[in-house]
C-alpha cells in the first residue's frame, strides 16, 4: 500500500542506496508495493535499474538473479512473500553475489530463515509493522500474554497481529452501528488514532492504513529479526 511504499523508499534513501532493483511476484499486494515504491523512489531521485516479476513457487531463481546482477544494483528489493525471499537469499549466496536485499511485511515470518539459512539471511532487512514482543504498549502486552498462554510461544509472523487489529476495527465499526458493508467502509475511512496491537489504527479515503507504524527489521547472524531504532 501507499504507506508501506513510502516507508520502503524512505529506508532506501536513508541507507544511501543509489541504484535499486525492484522485483515482485505479480500478486496484487507485491505488485502494488513495487509500483508505489518505484514511484516514490523516482521522486526522490533514486535510480531503479531493474523492474520485473518472478513466478512464485519455483525452486530455482538463478535465471532471474543473473538478470538482476547484470543490472548492477546496489540493493535488491523483493516485495513478495517469505518462501520466495528465502530461496532468493539462499541462491544469491550460492552465486557468490553479496548485494544487500530488502523486503516488505510479506517477508516477516521466521520460516524465512529456515529456507534461506542463517548465513544467507544475515543482513537482510524488511519493512513491517512491529511484532507485539517488540512493542511497549498496553494493547501489545495484553495480546502477547494471551497468545503465550494459549500457544506457549510468541508470534512468528506479523499476520496474527494484523488479523487482531482487523478484528478490533471491525468490532468497533459494528459497535458504532455499522452493520452494512457500505456504512462500515465509510466509518473506517474516517477512523483515526485508535490504539491497536501494531500501533495507532486509522485509514485514509482510499482505505489504506495511515500513520508511522512501519519499522525496519534486520536479520542478525543468529537468524533473529532485530527491530531497528527509528
Amino acid at each position: 500500500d501507499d504507506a508501506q511504499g513510502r516507508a520502503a523508499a524512505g529506508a532506501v534513501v536513508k541507507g544511501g542506496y543509489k541504484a535499486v532493483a525492484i522485483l515482485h511476484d505479480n500478486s496484487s499486494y507485491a505488485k502494488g508495493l513495487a509500483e508505489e515504491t518505484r514511484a516514490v523512489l523516482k521522486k526522490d531521485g533514486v535510480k531503479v535499474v531493474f523492474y520485473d516479476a518472478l513466478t512464485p513457487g519455483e525452486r530455482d531463481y538463478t535465471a532471474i538473479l543473473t538478470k538482476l546482477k547484470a543490472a548492477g544494483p546496489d540493493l535488491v528489493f523483493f516485495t513478495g512473500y517469505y518462501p520466495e525471499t528465502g530461496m532468493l537469499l539462499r541462491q544469491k549466496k550460492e552465486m557468490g553475489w553479496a548485494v544487500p536485499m530488502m523486503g516488505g511485511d510479506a517477508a516477516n515470518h521466521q520460516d524465512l530463515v529456515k529456507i534461506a539459512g542463517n548465513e544467507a539471511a544475515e543482513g537482510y532487512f524488511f519493512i513491517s509493522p512491529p511484532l507485539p514482543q517488540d512493542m511497549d504498549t498496553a494493547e501489545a502486552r495484553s495480546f502477547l500474554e494471551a497468545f503465550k498462554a494459549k500457544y506457549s510461544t510468541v508470534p512468528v509472523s506479523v499476520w496474527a497481529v494484523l488479523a487482531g487489529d482487523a478484528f478490533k476495527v471491525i468490532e468497533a465499526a459494528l459497535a458504532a452501528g455499522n452493520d452494512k458493508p457500505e456504512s462500515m467502509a465509510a466509518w473506517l475511512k474516517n477512523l483515526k488514532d485508535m490504539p491497536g496491537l501494531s500501533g495507532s489504527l486509522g485509514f485514509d479515503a482510499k482505505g489504506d492504513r495511515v500513520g508511522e507504524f512501519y519499522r525496519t527489521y534486520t536479520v542478525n547472524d543468529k537468524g533473529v529479526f532485530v527491530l531497528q531504532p527509528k
Side-chain angles (χ1 to χ4, degrees):
D1 59 40
D2 291 359
Q4 188 171 188
R6 290 191 299 272
V12 171
V13 172
K14 186 178 178 181
Y17 300 105
K18 304 297 183 187
V20 181
I22 298 178
L23 183 66
H24 62 89
D25 65 4
N26 269 326
S27 66
S28 57
Y29 160 78
K31 190 174 183 180
L33 175 56
E35 288 174 350
E36 176 61 23
T37 305
R38 179 171 63 170
V40 178
L41 288 177
K42 187 176 179 182
K43 289 178 188 173
D44 290 340
V46 177
K47 193 173 181 182
V48 176
V49 296
F50 181 97
Y51 186 89
D52 205 348
L54 56 67
T55 302
E58 293 188 349
R59 304 299 298 173
D60 187 355
Y61 291 114
T62 307
I64 195 79
L65 283 165
T66 302
K67 286 183 182 178
L68 283 162
K69 188 176 183 181
D74 58 10
L75 176 71
V76 173
F77 181 25
F78 174 55
T79 61
Y81 292 81
Y82 68 89
E84 289 73 32
T85 302
M87 294 290 289
L88 287 167
L89 286 166
R90 179 153 59 85
Q91 290 168 8
K92 182 171 73 68
K93 179 164 184 59
E94 289 168 356
M95 284 172 58
W97 187 27
V99 68
M101 188 167 143
M102 71 174 285
D105 61 15
N108 190 355
H109 194 293
Q110 199 61 47
D111 282 355
L112 164 76
V113 179
K114 291 181 183 176
I115 296 165
N118 283 13
E119 203 175 341
E122 182 183 356
Y124 173 76
F125 65 99
F126 58 86
I127 310 300
S128 174
L131 285 161
Q133 55 264 42
D134 297 320
M135 296 181 66
D136 190 28
T137 63
E139 290 78 17
R141 285 194 301 271
S142 176
F143 175 82
L144 193 58
E145 287 169 10
F147 194 97
K148 280 175 164 179
K150 186 167 181 63
Y151 301 109
S152 301
T153 186
V154 296
V156 297
S157 165
V158 74
W159 300 110
V161 183
L162 298 182
D165 277 341
F167 180 82
K168 281 175 67 74
V169 296
I170 291 170
E171 185 180 47
L174 288 169
N178 301 288
D179 59 353
K180 300 287 190 298
E182 295 78 12
S183 64
M184 183 177 286
W187 188 87
L188 289 173
K189 286 175 182 177
N190 285 298
L191 180 66
K192 299 288 183 287
D193 300 322
M194 177 182 168
L197 308 177
S198 60
S200 180
L201 294 168
F203 302 92
D204 62 18
K206 285 173 62 180
D208 286 333
R209 187 171 166 181
V210 295
E212 298 300 318
F213 56 93
Y214 281 105
R215 300 286 299 277
T216 300
Y217 280 87
T218 299
V219 183
N220 71 11
D221 59 351
K222 293 181 173 61
V224 176
F225 297 169
V226 180
L227 183 66
Q228 300 303 298
K230 286 186 179 180

